[in-house]
């Protein structure tokens, strides 16, 4: 089994991947970390030095070639929305959309400023606008996922249990 966790930045995919990894006794990987290792640069540095288009090409490469079996993969927020990445993931694993309300996303992204170049803003209301726009434009891709879990107020362990249940069906 290969489980792809997809969703907006701040939706808690990486934390959930760890939790699910313990619950299902499967290893987990973060695709952004894989990108950083291949490029030997942090994500913000790749964006600054090479630009988004370059980042998306590397991201596509990672989606199409980093395919451990029996593993949980947390994907970058934009990964499903470029090239044929979403279709590829649909064909090659179980896709789970971790859906979180934008108000919750804003709080998390604001707390973690500096780590997400696409959402870097000076004011919180600008972060809100950026998130709202991205969430709307990305929704058609995210909602293609095989499963969607409403994640807003639940703890990572509750969510992991929910996914385990859903996967059994
Ligand atoms: C991005 C999300 C980030 C990272 C990059 C681009 C996006 O991952 O891949 O900064 O386009 O939403 P997270 O979703 O883990 O923040």
């Amino acid at each position: 089994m290969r489980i792809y966790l997809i969703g907006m930045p701040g939706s808690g995919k990486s934390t959930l991947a760890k939790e699910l990894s313990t619950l299902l006794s499967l290893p987990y990987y973060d695709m952004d970390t894989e990108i950083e290792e291949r490029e030997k640069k942090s994500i913000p540095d790749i964006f600054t030095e090479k630009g988004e288009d370059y980042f998306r090409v590397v991201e596509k490469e990672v989606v199409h070639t980093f395919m451990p079996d029996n593993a949980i993969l947390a994907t970058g927020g934009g990964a499903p929305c470029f090239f044929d990445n979403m279709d590829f993931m649909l064909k090659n694993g179980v896709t789970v959309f971790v859906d979180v309300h934008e108000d919750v996303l804003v709080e998390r992204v604001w707390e973690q400023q500096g780590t997400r170049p696409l959402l870097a803003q000076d004011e919180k209301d600008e972060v809100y606008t950026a998130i709202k726009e991205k969430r709307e434009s990305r929704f058609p891709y995210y909602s293609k996922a095989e499963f969607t879990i409403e994640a807003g107020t639940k703890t990572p362990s509750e969510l992991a249990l929910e996914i385990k249940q859903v996967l059994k069906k």
Side-chain angles (χ1 to χ4, degrees):
M1 183 184 318
R2 182 179 300 119
I3 304 169
Y4 291 104
L5 299 181
I6 68 164
M8 283 288 289
S11 55
K13 292 162 293 191
S14 304
T15 315
L16 182 54
K18 282 180 213 157
E19 197 70 39
L20 204 53
S21 154
T22 312
L23 189 68
L24 303 179
S25 303
L26 294 176
Y28 75 91
Y29 303 94
D30 197 308
M31 287 218 182
D32 280 343
T33 307
E34 184 60 24
I35 294 173
E36 292 181 327
E37 278 171 14
R38 288 194 190 186
E39 289 297 297
K40 302 193 173 38
K41 274 192 183 82
S42 70
I43 302 279
D45 283 353
I46 301 172
F47 271 79
T48 315
E49 292 171 25
K50 308 251 177 142
E52 181 176 357
D53 289 353
Y54 178 87
F55 172 82
R56 295 301 172 197
V57 172
V58 179
E59 183 177 59
K60 176 191 174 194
E61 209 42 46
V62 168
V63 170
H64 285 68
T65 56
F66 185 65
M67 298 175 61
D69 281 327
N70 293 317
I72 298 148
L73 292 158
T75 66
C81 317
F82 291 84
F83 305 102
D84 64 340
N85 294 348
M86 188 63 199
D87 288 336
F88 184 89
M89 291 190 276
L90 281 164
K91 271 195 208 115
N92 291 289
V94 179
T95 44
V96 180
F97 171 29
V98 185
D99 193 12
V100 174
H101 193 275
E102 48 226 19
D103 292 346
V104 179
L105 295 175
V106 173
E107 292 305 324
R108 293 199 191 142
V109 168
W110 184 246
E111 271 166 28
Q112 303 161 1
Q113 276 289 33
T115 58
R116 296 187 170 96
L118 282 182
L119 296 170
Q121 308 288 346
D122 294 332
E123 302 292 336
K124 204 169 173 182
D125 61 345
E126 292 168 344
V127 174
Y128 182 80
T129 309
I131 285 185
K132 211 172 152 53
E133 269 173 25
K134 286 238 174 296
R135 192 171 180 276
E136 269 165 29
S137 64
R138 290 175 171 185
F139 201 79
Y141 298 92
Y142 293 154
S143 56
K144 281 177 150 187
E146 198 172 339
F147 301 108
T148 295
I149 50 159
E150 301 299 332
T153 53
K154 295 171 200 156
T155 65
S157 60
E158 285 169 338
L159 291 172
L161 273 173
E162 200 173 315
I163 295 177
K164 189 181 177 186
Q165 290 304 108
V166 154
L167 292 177
K168 272 195 206 151
K169 286 180 192 157

